[in-house]
Amino acid sequence: MSKKKTKNSKETSEIRSKFTPDVPLLLKDLGVSVAVTTYQAGKLFLLRSTGSRLNAHFRSFLRPMGLCVDKNHIHMGDLYSIIKFHNIPGACNALESPIPLDACYLPRNIHITGKIDIHEMETDSEGNLWFVNTLYSTLCKLDYEHSFVPVWRPDFVTEMVAEDRCHLNGLCMIDGRPKYMTALGRSDMKGGWRENKRNGGILIDIETDEIVFEGLSMPHSPRWYRGKLWVLESGEGSLATLDLERKEVTTVAQLPGFVRGLDFVGNLAFIGLSKIRDSAFSGLPIVERIEEPLCGVWVVDIDTGETVGHVEFVSGVAEVFGVKAVPALFPEVRELFEPLQQNSITVP
């Protein structure tokens, strides 16, 4: 169990977590850690294995949400910016750590987007960063001349305005290109997706502008993995696969919380769980199924649908957004403008 005080004014209690014994062993065997964002608590977590124990290490930011991770970089959407962290291995030697560090992610670029409610983000095969601009119902690319570069929005959204008309949220890449997106409803009015959040969710093929799946319950985190299209039905609290030809949903696992944030390593799915805010989530199937939803990261065997371990945030964190595996067993991540960065110099 980790137990730390937080300086973030959003917190009303200290952050405490507990875990099943399988989790640190799984992470050690896989050689990964797990990055987790919680905009509610203003934290970026790294769940790291010390062998038999789990270290829930966190840093504070304004409103961390979307995550994109590769071997040498982490991109993170914050309140009004995108922060790019670079892995600077030499910085590991300057830090004290109970376990030898095998990566150190330092902030190297901050791009101010303005408050646009950034959700999921991914890089394409050419290294361009794509991100979901939920407030403007638009899929965007990053460049450093503009707040954001609009590339695509659903054809039923007639204007690019700051009205969160359909709650565009999830981005699925196939072969290094954006392919599918999830939205919580087909709407062309401000906040209109809220009227049918129970089963108004859709999946859109952005190459054809076609809605290829309807009737989903608050879908998030679409992913193409092992030849299947996966999605989290947040309103159901489930991990599922979608058959686009037969228009069938196959539930792989039901989880004890509102699910959002998904990544795969081998045959395991790492899934973020959140508690439920009455105002936003009332009337959903998960509310009828679970009396007290939990918050944390659950690990599911996608071959059997069984939960093989979990990390539960007992206090201080109520909602999770992004979940991504990090290709380092015991990495470090630093906050903005720390003294360490004054002497962390890299050259070609």
Side-chain angles (χ1 to χ4, degrees):
M1 178 182 293
S2 68
K3 190 172 182 179
K4 296 184 179 181
K5 288 281 187 180
T6 175
K7 297 178 181 179
N8 194 312
S9 60
K10 298 178 183 179
E11 294 296 339
T12 57
S13 62
E14 61 187 0
I15 292 174
R16 296 190 299 120
S17 62
K18 63 181 182 179
F19 60 93
T20 57
D22 310 82
V23 176
L25 299 177
L26 285 171
L27 295 179
K28 183 178 180 181
D29 289 344
L30 295 170
V32 302
S33 53
V34 178
V36 182
T37 54
T38 163
Y39 60 89
Q40 166 263 330
K43 306 297 180 190
L44 168 62
F45 281 87
L46 288 177
L47 304 180
R48 312 182 295 187
S49 172
T50 65
S52 61
R53 304 288 295 174
L54 187 77
N55 177 270
H57 175 69
F58 64 78
R59 298 298 181 193
S60 297
F61 296 90
L62 294 175
R63 195 175 189 268
M65 289 186 66
L67 280 173
C68 177
V69 175
D70 60 37
K71 183 177 180 180
N72 293 311
H73 308 99
I74 296 175
H75 287 89
M76 184 183 76
D78 205 4
L79 178 64
Y80 55 86
S81 67
I82 294 174
I83 305 170
K84 184 178 182 180
F85 302 82
H86 290 227
N87 179 19
I88 311 297
C92 295
N93 300 325
L95 298 169
E96 294 184 5
S97 173
I99 301 291
L101 297 170
D102 53 353
C104 184
Y105 291 91
L106 301 182
R108 276 294 193 255
N109 304 88
I110 306 170
H111 178 68
I112 305 301
T113 59
K115 294 176 67 173
I116 60 175
D117 200 13
I118 296 172
H119 278 55
E120 290 197 331
M121 52 177 59
E122 297 286 351
T123 52
D124 63 21
S125 56
E126 298 178 352
N128 300 303
L129 183 71
W130 297 73
F131 57 95
V132 185
N133 178 341
T134 299
L135 187 61
Y136 285 82
S137 308
T138 303
L139 176 64
C140 300
K141 288 175 70 173
L142 176 68
D143 79 6
Y144 293 103
E145 296 297 324
H146 310 89
S147 297
F148 54 86
V149 179
V151 178
W152 177 90
R153 71 173 185 269
D155 61 2
F156 56 81
V157 176
T158 56
E159 299 176 275
M160 191 183 72
V161 289
E163 294 184 344
D164 185 16
R165 293 188 174 187
C166 64
H167 206 74
L168 198 68
N169 58 52
L171 173 61
C172 175
M173 308 285 283
I174 298 182
D175 296 329
R177 298 177 59 186
K179 177 61 175 175
Y180 297 113
M181 297 195 71
T182 48
L184 299 193
R186 177 171 180 161
S187 167
D188 193 30
M189 60 182 291
K190 183 177 182 178
W193 59 272
R194 298 178 183 274
E195 294 183 2
N196 187 25
K197 59 181 180 291
R198 183 183 178 95
N199 56 14
I202 57 177
L203 179 81
I204 311 169
D205 185 330
I206 67 172
E207 293 181 351
T208 65
D209 286 328
E210 179 186 2
I211 296 176
V212 293
F213 217 103
E214 298 182 89
L216 298 170
S217 184
M218 297 191 81
H220 283 83
S221 312
R223 305 286 187 263
W224 182 258
Y225 187 68
R226 289 188 172 180
K228 294 182 179 180
L229 183 58
W230 302 76
V231 70
L232 296 177
E233 276 205 276
S234 306
E236 295 279 357
S238 65
L239 170 68
T241 59
L242 303 182
D243 187 322
L244 300 186
E245 293 185 1
R246 298 182 179 182
K247 306 300 180 185
E248 291 180 351
V249 181
T250 300
T251 299
V252 175
Q254 285 193 315
L255 291 305
F258 183 89
V259 288
R260 182 175 52 193
L262 171 65
D263 204 5
F264 296 96
V265 182
N267 67 319
L268 300 178
F270 292 84
I271 303 168
L273 269 65
S274 297
K275 296 181 180 180
I276 289 176
R277 289 175 279 123
D278 292 339
S279 60
F281 303 132
S282 60
L284 296 177
I286 189 174
V287 176
E288 301 163 1
R289 179 169 64 87
I290 300 174
E291 186 174 343
E292 294 185 11
L294 303 177
C295 176
V297 177
W298 260 240
V299 188
V300 172
D301 185 325
I302 62 175
D303 295 327
T304 66
E306 297 295 321
T307 296
V308 297
H310 68 265
V311 181
E312 181 186 350
F313 292 117
V314 179
S315 67
V317 180
E319 296 187 41
V320 165
F321 183 81
V323 175
K324 288 287 186 179
V326 179
L329 185 61
F330 207 82
E332 172 65 274
V333 65
R334 307 300 290 189
E335 295 173 2
L336 302 174
F337 312 120
E338 292 187 0
L340 174 66
Q341 297 177 60
Q342 297 180 30
N343 296 311
S344 297
I345 308 298
T346 59
V347 295

